[in-house]
Every structure is written in C-alpha cells, then in structure tokens.
Amino acid sequence: MRVSWNWLSEYVDLSGVTPQELADKLTQAGIAVDAVTPRSPGVRGVVVGLVVRCEQHPNADRLHVCEVDVGADEHLTIVCGAPNVRTGMRAPTALVGAVLPGGRIGRAKLRGVESQGMLCSAEELGLESRWLPKEQTEGLYVLPDEAEVGADVVPLLGLDDWVLELDLTPNRADCLSMRGLAYEVSAILGRPVRMPGASPKRTADAPGLTVELATPRCPRYEAQVLTDLTTGPSPLWMQMRLLASGIRPINRIVDVTNYVMLEWGQPLHAFDADEVRQGRIIVRQAQPGERIRTLDGADRELTEDTIVISDPERAIGIAGVMGGENSEVRPSTRRVVLESAVFDAASVRRTGQRLGLRSEAQQRFEKGVDPVAVRAALDRATALLQEICSAVAVGEPVVVLQAAPAYQWQVDFSPARCNAWLGTDLTLQEMRDIMVRLGFEPEATDQPTWKVTIPSRRQDVRLEEDLYEEVARLAGYDRIPSSLPRTVTTAATRTPAQRLRQWTREILLGAGMTEVLTYTLASPTDLAPLRLPDDSPYRQMIPLLRPMSEERTALRTHMLPGLARVAQYNLAHGVIGGAIFELGRVYWPKELPLTEQPCERQQWAALWFGSTERVVGQRARLYDFYDAKGVVEVWLEALGVAEAVSFRRSGASWLHPGRSADVLVGDVRIGCVGELHPDTAAGWALGRAQYAEFDLDLLLPLLPDTLHVRPLPRHPAVRRDLAVLVDLATPAEALVQAAREAVSEDVLESIHVFDVYTGEGIPTGKKSIALAFTWRAHDRTLTDDEVRVEEERVVHRWKERWGAALRDG
C-alpha cells in the first residue's frame, strides 16, 4: 500500500519525525516499509502560469509562441510545442533557473524566438503519469481555473509530499486505510488520532429506494440516495492524494468513493440511480449462466457462488469486486445510490480469483472490513459529495441488517504469562500503557488476568497470544533478551524400522545397485502389464481428490510400474542396462471409499534390466535370475536370517512361472524374486528383466535380536559340484533342503544351485540341476574319504525322494 506523508499528517501529529524515521519505527513494529520516496525530488521555481496569448511560431509549424502571465510585473514569452496549448489555459510554468527532474531551465532561442521559461507536462514535473487520465498525459498538464496565477506549483500539486510503500502481512488489513495506519502511528509515537468528523445534511423526504438481502453472504447493506450532483474533475488536492496512493482520478463521484475507501478502509460504490430499475436493489447469488458486463468492458459469466447486486430485472454489479457497466456513473449522471456494505470475505476472494480480477475494493473485502466504518464511510462520502458536487442527500440511508455486527470483543490477558512467553520483565504499567496506546481498553488490571476490550478495526486480535504480539511490537523486539534454548537432550537413535531401512540401503548399494526415487502417485492404467486378476487387491487404488495430472491420480499399490518407467527411460536414452532399487511405501486400502486409514507397507523393490557392462575377460550378458537371487541372498545373509530362509515356486502374475520364487523366513512369506513374465516385460518394452520385492514390515519382527559372528576359518574348504537328473517338476530348493538334512556333521558350509539345464542330451521330462557344495570342518582338514561319504548320503537322500541320478560327463 502507498501512503501519502502529508495526508497521514492530517490524522496524527508527525512533527519532529522525518519520513525515514517513521518508516524505521513502523518496520520495527512489524509494519514493513519497503521504500520511502519523494513524489518529485528537487522541483523548484515552477509556478502557475496563465496563457494570455498563443500564436503560431513564424518559423515552425509545430511550435507556438505564448505570452504567459506568471504573476510578475511583466509577462513572459515562452515557445511551446505541446499540442494542447491554448489561450486562457493555466499550466505549470518553469521560470528561468527552475529545477526539474530532467535538469535546470535556462533561456533558449528556438527558431529565432527567445523563450523565457517552459510550460510543463505531467511527466516533466515527475507526476505519476501512468495513473493520470489520458488527456492529462498528452501535452501540457492542465491546471484548474481556480489555481492562483503565480502560485508555487510544488504545494499545489503535492510535490512536497513523501510516499511510504508498505508491505503488509495478510492479518493487518486495518492498515489498508489511512485511519488504521493513523492508529498504528499513534500507538508508536504516543500521539492522539484526529479523524475528521462527518455530519451530512439530509432531507426529510423518502429516498425512493428499497433494499432486499436474498443471500446470507451479505449481513449488512446501507445505501444513500443523492440527487442534483454536478459532474466534472475532482479538486486538485483530492486528485493528488489519489495519485500518491496509486489510484487513477476519474471524476468527482468516483474519486470521492475511492478517497473514502483509502481513508476509512471501507469500499464504496456509486450506482446511477436512474439505472436501478423500479428503485429496488436486491443482493443475491447469481443465477447459473448469468452474465454481466463489468466496468472494464469485459463480459463475464457468473456462477452460483458469486454475490451480485441487482435490480428486479438484471445484475448491476459483482458484490465486492466490480460494478456493472449498465449502472456506471456517467457525465450525465445526476442521481446516485451510494452503497456501503459487508460481504462474505471468502466468497469475494473466490469470485475475484475465478474472474481474474484484483480490485482495491476486493483486497479489502476479502480480508474483512470494520463494521464501524460502514456507516462512518457512508457519512463521510455523503458529506464530501455535498461539498464537492453540491449533492442533496435524500432522506436517511436505507439500512438492512441480517446479523448484529460485533463492534468490540474481549480477550483475556495474563501479564505474567506474557512475560513468560516473551522472556521479558515488563511492568504492569508498561503493558497497560501499550494497550491504551493501541486503543484497547484493559479492565480488571488489579487481577492476575485482565479483560481487554478490542475495537472492531483490529480483526486480527482474537487470542491472548495476539495480545502478547502487540506488547512485543510496541515495547520493542530489541527488549526481548537473547538466550539459548534450555531442554533435556538425549542421544539420537534410530528405531528398529529405521535401522532395517538403513541396513537394506547400505547392503544393496554395496552389492553394486543404484537407488532411485519414483512417485508414490500413480494411475490405474499403470497396472495393466502386471496381468492382475479382476479381484486383485492391487487394483484397489486410493484416488486423489484433486490429482495433478492423469498420470498421478491415485496412491500406488505396487512398486514395479515406477521402476519399470525408470528402466524404460534409461533404455530409451542409450543406457545398456542397470540394477536399480527403491525403498518406499505402497498403500492398500481396507475398503473404498476410505472409512479408515489405509494399510501402508514399507517395501524395497529392485529391477535388473538390459545387459551387464562389458569388462576385461567378460562379455556383456543379459541379467538373469541368479543375478537377482544372488543379491537377495547377500541381503538375507547380512541380516542374519539366511539359515531360516527357504524358496518355493511363486504364483505372482507378473513373474515367469518357471523362473521365480517366493522367499520365506520360517513360514512367513516376505517377498518374491524372479524373471518378469514375458507379457509384463513386453508391456514396458524391457526385454528380459528380473524383479524382486520384499516387505520390510513383515521381516522386521523375524530378525534376530543379536547378530552372530564366526571366527575366520583355520582349515581349508573342499569345493565339489554335483549334477543330477530329476523330473521337471522337482524344485531345486527341495534338493538343497534335502542335502542339508542328509549330512551327518556340521561340515556343509554352503550349497547353491549354479545351473539348470534341459535340452540335448537330457531325457524327455527330465532336467539337470547342478549344485556347488562347500565342505569345511572347524577343527580339522577334511579328507577326500570324509567328503565322499557325505556326498553319498546326499545322493542317497535325493534318490530315495525323487529318483535322482547323477549325471555323467
């Protein structure tokens, strides 16, 4: 908000304080002042000049030679090129030696004629030309006929003023007016406020106007009918104050409404009374599809959420936002209806946002207006229109109330708690003085808890903590002592779930994998390649109320689609392959629509896609099942649960039925690993790829309380491979479990499958499974005979159960 220093000084005594000093005090009190600028720096030697005679320049088509009366003994001869110069006009005249923003004025000879000064435009004077009417920006700035010839232009145009630019926070709507800011400055300086009174004279006639409130979103509406108005430009002093505040002067009637809005913070609107059909105003919600052309000339379609001012036949304004063109005040207007009202703040804000409008009135309505100002502003505007436009106020204002306004309220305040919160030691008298300076009324100040009455202009003060802030602001934030926080600290530690996630991340990174992060938001269409049955719980995705895009409409239930998109993107950009993993959550609702919190599961998932890097001595190859299984086994071994792990055939629809396995710890299935089903891989154009996913929430209670370590072996190991022929349906994991059961001593250190083969040389219905055994005793070196005995026991167990036979060659 832009504030005129001279205007503000009419409401509170600013003597002895400079604009910059006041700006510093306001900023220290929480009202940030971004800039303090003079309206026109350094202008002097410019007076009101009357053009007595204007003739064509003898040597130039576009120049005029003017005889100008500046109140001196002799008239001046001034050469002027402005298109609007004419005999009888008054204009700012820079005398020889005058200083303007563009430099000093001297004598000059233009095309053979000496010029003894310069007639000035608004821009040459440094006026805010972007807010001036168009006719005042094209050529000389035209002064009113009542301007005294020879008078100094600087005070006349308010060029001796300063403008403070405030950066207000949303809660300080009271400072969107000169009145509110005057009270703030009064509290800071400890000086009284002098608001102008208004007692307009009204006739005893009936106003000939009725008002109906047909919506609860307008709790109060007041209207004053005025007649016999004279139109034209507003007084120069009013125009200059509007310009300093960043508002364009338009005409007397509109300028008065804007002036009072800036003064009192209460937006007003003037309707052409002759355009209000049947002398009846109805405040209502807009009809669906209803349209109105606003004052900016735009046709706008309204919704049922919009509050409109209407007559019985049509809408004539959008409440709190902008008036309608059909009831606009024109040069021919002689009768007006002056509106002062309260509208629902949230509705006004929504309407302005939807229509893309941001008016000064809207900014004030959407933050809430002071009910005291509704009538006060109406009276002030009526008095100004009577003074400036010779208006006649017809009868008393028409007032309609739906709810009694709250002109004040009380807030409890404890001085002891205030000092405790702020860390200060302010006295009771200091706090009371601050309340009084703010215009608050503290009561029961001899009690531990005061009752403080808050005036309605301070809508932001509702809680006791708000009063603490007021005390801190006015006492000075520099009086709050600096101190370090005092608290009992404990050593930071991670929860078991956090430790498991950390270990998992470190293990997978150590295994050469790359961590990625994907969206937890997905789309039901992402599940299509997973080949899920119609009743699969994975299809029950929690929809978002306001999705960002069609690709992000629900919470994910599966982590594969996100990883597949990462792989797809990398393959499309020339990456030959990779091993990626993600730690994240999936969201499974118990029912839809949601009636309780969904089940959130912490998982890790990994995808091996494309081929490995080619290194010295090794060719690039496609990732296979054993790459994925190997990483999973490393993870399980590091967590200390490998001995309790078993594998069984997986039935996951997105995995290959013969190249996948569920992973169990004891009897609990914690996840799965395997090659993607060909149809699933084709859905993302991944080729052959491996996938694993594990539920960390299921694994956490199965982890051992302590991790056991073994001493480094002192005796060498014996590595032996066995290849056996079994039926196609025999799972390799069953052979591994049977081998562990068959050995007589704790000499089998490890066993793993390293090859499964079907094809040439293998009987029909059979497959070859090759297993690698590592034998080691902790107290001696095993002999070949001891190892042979153990192998015979293993083979015998296989033969008994599955008819397995050692493969030759």
Side-chain angles (χ1 to χ4, degrees):
M1 177 178 170
R2 291 167 57 91
V3 176
S4 162
W5 170 267
N6 288 346
W7 191 2
L8 179 63
S9 65
E10 290 191 1
Y11 307 132
V12 62
D13 181 13
L14 299 179
S15 59
V17 182
T18 67
Q20 189 59 59
E21 288 172 347
L22 181 62
D24 292 341
K25 291 178 182 294
L26 284 169
T27 300
Q28 291 168 5
I31 306 296
V33 179
D34 288 344
V36 180
T37 55
R39 281 203 63 204
S40 185
V43 174
R44 63 177 183 270
V46 183
V47 300
V48 177
L50 171 63
V51 179
V52 177
R53 187 172 68 244
C54 179
E55 299 176 348
Q56 184 68 44
H57 193 291
N59 302 318
D61 294 338
R62 297 186 179 181
L63 296 178
H64 294 84
V65 179
C66 304
E67 181 183 340
V68 182
D69 180 4
V70 293
D73 294 337
E74 297 182 0
H75 293 177
L76 302 180
T77 299
I78 296 178
V79 178
C80 179
N84 65 333
V85 63
R86 70 184 191 284
T87 299
M89 73 176 298
R90 282 173 167 80
T93 305
L95 306 177
V96 173
V99 177
L100 298 176
R104 185 178 293 273
I105 303 300
R107 292 179 183 271
K109 184 172 288 189
L110 301 176
R111 294 291 183 93
V113 178
E114 185 179 78
S115 182
Q116 299 171 315
M118 184 175 76
L119 299 174
C120 301
S121 67
E123 185 174 355
E124 289 163 339
L125 292 171
L127 289 174
E128 299 87 346
S129 56
R130 66 184 182 277
W131 293 316
L132 283 170
K134 183 179 179 182
E135 63 272 12
Q136 287 282 42
T137 62
E138 298 175 343
L140 302 177
Y141 184 78
V142 181
L143 296 173
D145 292 341
E146 57 269 20
E148 181 183 352
V149 175
D152 189 351
V153 161
V154 170
L156 182 68
L157 298 181
L159 298 181
D160 54 348
D161 198 2
W162 291 76
V163 174
L164 283 66
E165 297 186 25
L166 308 185
D167 183 12
L168 297 174
T169 52
N171 64 311
R172 291 308 304 269
D174 58 303
C175 288
L176 284 171
S177 68
M178 300 299 296
R179 169 178 176 252
L181 189 61
Y183 276 106
E184 184 70 17
V185 173
S186 168
I188 293 171
L189 301 181
R191 300 176 182 180
V193 175
R194 312 181 294 244
M195 288 302 294
S199 301
K201 296 180 180 180
R202 296 181 169 98
T203 69
D205 301 329
L209 178 75
T210 60
V211 175
E212 176 186 346
L213 301 185
T215 173
R217 295 182 181 179
C218 177
R220 181 178 182 181
Y221 193 97
E222 299 194 13
Q224 175 71 60
V225 177
L226 296 111
T227 63
D228 301 332
L229 290 95
T230 59
T231 57
S234 57
L236 200 56
W237 62 267
M238 181 176 286
Q239 292 187 44
M240 292 304 109
R241 288 185 176 180
L242 292 176
L243 282 177
S245 302
I247 292 182
R248 183 192 308 276
I250 297 174
N251 59 50
R252 294 177 181 174
I253 300 172
V254 175
D255 289 356
V256 164
T257 62
N258 285 332
Y259 183 86
V260 174
M261 175 187 70
L262 293 173
E263 185 178 60
W264 280 86
Q266 171 65 37
L268 305 172
H269 186 73
F271 299 97
D272 188 327
D274 293 330
E275 295 296 333
V276 178
R277 308 283 173 82
Q278 302 178 29
R280 184 180 173 199
I281 285 179
I282 305 170
V283 185
R284 58 174 173 80
Q285 299 300 130
Q287 302 296 328
E290 188 172 6
R291 304 185 69 87
I292 185 174
R293 175 171 291 183
T294 47
L295 290 173
D296 57 0
D299 287 317
R300 304 185 184 278
E301 183 173 348
L302 309 178
T303 66
E304 293 177 83
D305 189 48
T306 304
I307 311 171
V308 296
I309 312 300
S310 70
D311 59 27
E313 301 177 18
R314 63 204 172 146
I316 58 175
I318 303 175
V321 179
M322 188 172 287
E325 191 179 84
N326 53 15
S327 59
E328 178 183 9
V329 172
R330 298 174 175 83
S332 60
T333 299
R334 296 294 178 268
R335 297 175 63 245
V336 298
V337 175
L338 193 59
E339 166 197 278
S340 184
V342 177
F343 301 113
D344 179 69
S347 178
V348 171
R349 180 169 58 252
R350 289 193 302 268
T351 298
Q353 290 175 340
R354 187 181 65 81
L355 297 178
L357 291 171
R358 188 69 176 164
S359 65
E360 291 284 343
Q362 178 197 338
Q363 291 184 54
R364 288 160 175 81
F365 274 124
E366 69 181 20
K367 292 177 173 64
V369 296
D370 180 3
V372 168
V374 175
R375 170 54 69 87
L378 186 64
D379 287 346
R380 173 70 164 153
T382 300
L384 285 172
L385 289 173
Q386 290 178 334
E387 175 187 342
I388 296 169
C389 304
S390 303
V392 175
V394 181
E396 294 296 320
V398 178
V399 179
V400 181
L401 288 173
Q402 293 197 97
Y407 293 111
Q408 60 186 26
W409 51 90
Q410 284 194 328
V411 176
D412 289 343
F413 174 76
S414 166
R417 282 198 299 269
C418 180
N419 271 328
W421 275 61
L422 298 179
T424 56
D425 56 356
L426 299 173
T427 66
L428 298 181
Q429 187 60 43
E430 285 180 296
M431 293 188 189
R432 185 184 181 282
D433 289 345
I434 288 173
M435 302 290 182
V436 173
R437 282 158 51 195
L438 286 165
F440 302 167
E441 297 177 9
E443 300 175 9
T445 54
D446 56 340
Q447 301 296 320
T449 300
W450 299 357
K451 297 289 185 181
V452 181
T453 302
I454 311 299
S456 58
R457 59 182 169 81
R458 289 301 303 273
Q459 298 284 328
D460 59 311
V461 180
R462 298 282 181 172
L463 307 174
E464 184 173 358
E465 291 77 9
D466 295 330
L467 288 174
Y468 299 166
E469 180 183 4
E470 295 301 301
V471 170
R473 287 193 316 108
L474 271 296
Y477 290 119
D478 56 343
R479 294 188 61 180
I480 299 177
S482 300
S483 61
L484 293 174
R486 298 178 182 177
T487 182
V488 177
T489 59
T490 57
T493 182
R494 290 186 171 90
T495 65
Q498 290 172 331
R499 288 198 297 270
L500 177 56
R501 292 198 296 272
Q502 180 190 14
W503 292 339
T504 298
R505 177 178 290 107
E506 293 174 350
I507 294 167
L508 296 179
L509 290 172
M513 304 195 71
T514 301
E515 185 176 10
V516 299
L517 296 174
T518 66
Y519 287 102
T520 57
L521 303 179
S523 168
T525 58
D526 293 342
L527 301 177
L530 298 181
R531 306 173 59 254
L532 299 171
D534 292 339
D535 60 349
S536 170
Y538 290 107
R539 293 189 180 277
Q540 301 298 308
M541 302 182 74
I542 302 171
L544 302 182
L545 289 177
R546 296 177 180 84
M548 296 184 295
S549 67
E550 293 183 358
E551 296 179 346
R552 308 277 182 261
T553 60
L555 293 175
R556 68 182 176 190
T557 58
H558 206 290
M559 297 185 71
L560 176 55
L563 293 175
R565 287 185 182 275
V566 174
Q568 190 179 44
Y569 178 86
N570 279 271
L571 291 171
H573 287 77
V575 179
I576 64 171
I580 59 176
F581 75 94
E582 178 179 12
L583 282 158
R585 291 185 182 274
V586 293
Y587 304 86
W588 299 334
K590 298 176 182 178
E591 62 178 338
L592 288 177
L594 286 178
T595 57
E596 57 182 311
Q597 290 292 331
C599 179
E600 300 183 27
R601 308 300 298 183
Q602 182 70 49
Q603 295 187 349
W604 76 266
L607 184 66
W608 294 258
F609 62 94
S611 60
T612 62
E613 292 282 353
R614 185 175 64 181
V615 296
V616 177
Q618 290 185 355
R619 296 179 179 178
R621 61 175 179 80
L622 295 176
Y623 285 102
D624 59 25
F625 171 78
Y626 296 103
D627 291 309
K629 184 172 180 286
V631 171
V632 171
E633 288 177 332
V634 167
W635 173 61
L636 294 170
E637 179 73 26
L639 294 178
V641 295
E643 294 182 357
V645 169
S646 60
F647 295 83
R648 70 182 182 196
R649 187 185 299 274
S650 176
S653 61
W654 55 89
L655 296 179
H656 192 294
R659 301 173 187 168
S660 60
D662 288 339
V663 181
L664 291 83
V665 176
D667 296 329
V668 180
R669 178 188 179 278
I670 63 169
C672 61
V673 59
E675 183 178 320
L676 287 182
H677 192 283
D679 293 342
T680 299
W684 286 297
L686 296 181
R688 196 173 84 180
Q690 315 300 319
Y691 177 70
E693 67 176 22
F694 290 90
D695 191 318
L696 297 180
D697 292 336
L698 291 176
L699 175 61
L700 183 61
L702 304 176
L703 294 177
D705 295 332
T706 58
L707 296 178
H708 298 279
V709 295
R710 298 175 180 174
L712 293 174
R714 299 174 59 190
H715 302 281
V718 178
R719 164 71 185 265
R720 296 286 180 86
D721 296 341
L722 293 177
V724 293
L725 293 174
V726 294
D727 294 338
L728 286 173
T730 303
E733 175 64 18
L735 296 180
V736 173
Q737 290 297 114
R740 292 186 183 278
E741 296 168 1
V743 296
S744 59
E745 295 184 56
D746 186 18
V747 293
L748 180 57
E749 185 173 273
S750 68
I751 176 175
H752 67 272
V753 178
F754 67 88
D755 184 49
V756 178
Y757 174 71
T758 59
E760 185 177 353
I762 303 299
T764 303
K766 298 288 185 177
K767 64 181 177 182
S768 170
I769 299 179
L771 301 98
F773 291 79
T774 300
W775 305 90
R776 191 198 308 266
H778 69 279
D779 58 349
R780 68 187 185 281
T781 300
L782 294 174
T783 65
D784 288 344
D785 290 340
E786 288 178 304
V787 172
R788 188 179 303 111
V789 170
E790 297 299 335
E791 286 181 337
E792 288 173 353
R793 287 178 177 152
V794 171
V795 173
H796 180 71
R797 180 66 60 89
W798 288 347
K799 186 174 181 179
E800 278 184 340
R801 291 192 179 180
W802 297 288
L806 289 175
R807 181 183 171 193
D808 297 330

